[in-house]
Amino acid sequence: MNQNLTVVTEFILVGFMDHPELRVPLFMLFFFMYFTTLVANIGIIILTKIDAQLHTPMYFFLRNLSIVDVGYSTSIAPKLLATFVEQGRIISFAECAAQFFFFGAFVTTEVCLLAVMAYDRFVAICNPLLYFVIMSKKFCTILVMGSYAGGIINSAIQASFIFRSTFCKLNVINHILCDGPPILKLSCSDTHVTHTVQFILSAIFGLSTFVTILVSYIAIAFAILRIHSAQGRYKAFSTCASHLTIVIIFFGTLIFMYMRPGSGFLMDEDKIISVFYSLVISLLNPLIYTLRNKDVKAACSRMLDRMTFLK
């Protein structure tokens, strides 16, 4: 046994502190983004809960999407902001593992929820008469619980492989969070199996949900083309526009981020991409649904009217 082996018990998150000249503007930018993300998503959660006209499967899924957005932005933003204050945030081994687990679980859950929402739009447009029969409250709850379960299982398996690796001497994570690739770069043990498991699980969840979304939208496209009136086609497409926009942004970012060989990562590039899908997308989701959705805008107006009346 090597007596000089030093086992790492804590890590240092670099964040963006390798660019100290940007410390203040980046702190202000990320704080604003995180605060706005919380306000916007919590607003969606409250709105879809209290407004009776939004008690439909589509908005039940949207409420859970907002819960997930709050979760995974919160798993990153506070420690990211701390790196600007403390010029490098010390994070224990257990805290790092916990951050990886929760972030991975929420991201995977979001991917599954987007697939569920695509199926929901498929049923609504292709089988409108049977929509509320198929998308019953019980079935919707099962779909949502299955999404959370998939996220937890995927993240737990990946975390168990990554954090059973041996880390010695090197403990500086040149990233904004405890993510798989930058952590594995610090390992002094063989990580081939771990990289393979991570890639396979990402491919399974990514491809299965992507195929579900793709097939759903192909069926939706054919159904819309069969509608004779231009107004009818526009109305059908408008019910999918917000979800489709989010899917394109989210999956495009994740595919570029994770569906690459592990050795090809550039850390500065990945920091920017991680900020985009962890903070920017979670901010865009409620804004896209609010600005492009007549039902949500109408519900906002009703809630503001009630608040004005109470005054």
Side-chain angles (χ1 to χ4, degrees):
M1 179 181 292
N2 187 354
Q3 300 296 325
N4 295 321
L5 181 66
T6 303
V7 178
V8 170
T9 58
E10 62 184 20
F11 297 102
I12 298 174
L13 279 176
V14 174
F16 286 96
M17 289 315 298
D18 45 354
H19 300 286
E21 70 280 2
L22 299 176
R23 177 181 175 185
V24 174
L26 284 179
F27 177 86
M28 295 176 64
L29 174 63
F30 294 149
F31 178 81
F32 172 77
M33 290 169 59
Y34 178 54
F35 178 77
T36 308
T37 296
L38 291 182
V39 171
N41 280 289
I42 291 174
I44 289 290
I45 293 168
I46 294 173
L47 190 65
T48 56
K49 185 67 176 178
I50 67 174
D51 193 288
Q53 295 188 33
L54 298 183
H55 290 176
T56 64
M58 175 180 171
Y59 296 107
F60 173 66
F61 298 138
L62 178 59
R63 180 162 67 248
N64 280 277
L65 188 70
S66 290
I67 292 171
V68 169
D69 284 337
V70 169
Y72 80 73
S73 60
T74 300
S75 70
I76 289 183
K79 289 193 179 296
L80 173 61
L81 293 172
T83 63
F84 294 106
V85 176
E86 302 176 13
Q87 299 189 24
R89 170 75 172 179
I90 294 177
I91 181 171
S92 70
F93 189 89
E95 287 177 323
C96 188
Q99 186 188 55
F100 174 87
F101 170 77
F102 284 110
F103 178 73
F106 281 124
V107 170
T108 307
T109 302
E110 174 132 347
V111 170
C112 294
L113 281 175
L114 290 175
V116 167
M117 294 171 79
Y119 176 73
D120 171 71
R121 293 299 83 205
F122 159 75
V123 176
I125 293 175
C126 298
N127 297 284
L129 298 179
L130 296 176
Y131 177 66
F132 287 103
V133 175
I134 297 173
M135 303 303 293
S136 64
K137 184 176 181 180
K138 179 179 179 180
F139 184 56
C140 290
T141 302
I142 291 172
L143 290 175
V144 168
M145 291 300 101
S147 297
Y148 283 110
I152 292 171
I153 292 170
N154 175 47
S155 191
I157 293 174
Q158 291 200 38
S160 66
F161 274 88
I162 291 173
F163 289 95
R164 74 178 182 183
S165 301
T166 302
F167 300 92
C168 37
K169 294 187 178 180
L170 296 177
N171 72 334
V172 178
I173 301 176
N174 186 19
H175 205 36
I176 68 169
L177 75 153
C178 291
D179 201 5
I183 294 174
L184 290 175
K185 280 183 175 293
L186 305 179
S187 176
C188 52
S189 57
D190 184 12
T191 60
H192 176 72
V193 173
T194 303
H195 275 300
T196 302
V197 169
Q198 188 178 37
F199 182 83
I200 290 174
L201 287 173
S202 298
I204 289 173
F205 280 92
L207 291 177
S208 61
T209 52
F210 180 77
V211 169
T212 300
I213 293 170
L214 182 63
V215 171
S216 296
Y217 272 104
I218 289 174
I220 288 171
F222 280 111
I224 291 175
L225 290 175
R226 287 196 297 267
I227 299 174
H228 297 295
S229 68
Q231 184 178 1
R233 287 195 295 269
Y234 175 78
K235 184 178 180 180
F237 178 76
S238 65
T239 64
C240 307
S242 298
H243 176 261
L244 186 59
T245 302
I246 291 171
V247 164
I248 291 172
I249 296 173
F250 189 83
F251 270 86
T253 305
L254 281 187
I255 288 171
F256 183 76
M257 180 74 177
Y258 289 111
M259 301 300 288
R260 297 175 290 167
S263 60
F265 287 150
L266 297 174
M267 286 298 112
D268 284 341
E269 180 183 83
D270 285 356
K271 289 179 188 180
I272 296 172
I273 298 172
S274 295
V275 167
F276 187 79
Y277 76 74
S278 61
L279 294 180
V280 176
I281 293 179
S282 58
L283 171 60
L284 289 177
N285 284 354
L287 295 180
I288 290 172
Y289 267 97
T290 301
L291 296 175
R292 297 185 61 89
N293 190 293
K294 292 181 180 179
D295 292 336
V296 175
K297 286 191 286 187
C300 286
S301 297
R302 288 192 295 271
M303 185 172 69
L304 291 174
D305 290 341
R306 285 197 295 268
M307 292 173 64
T308 303
F309 177 75
L310 290 174
K311 290 182 179 180

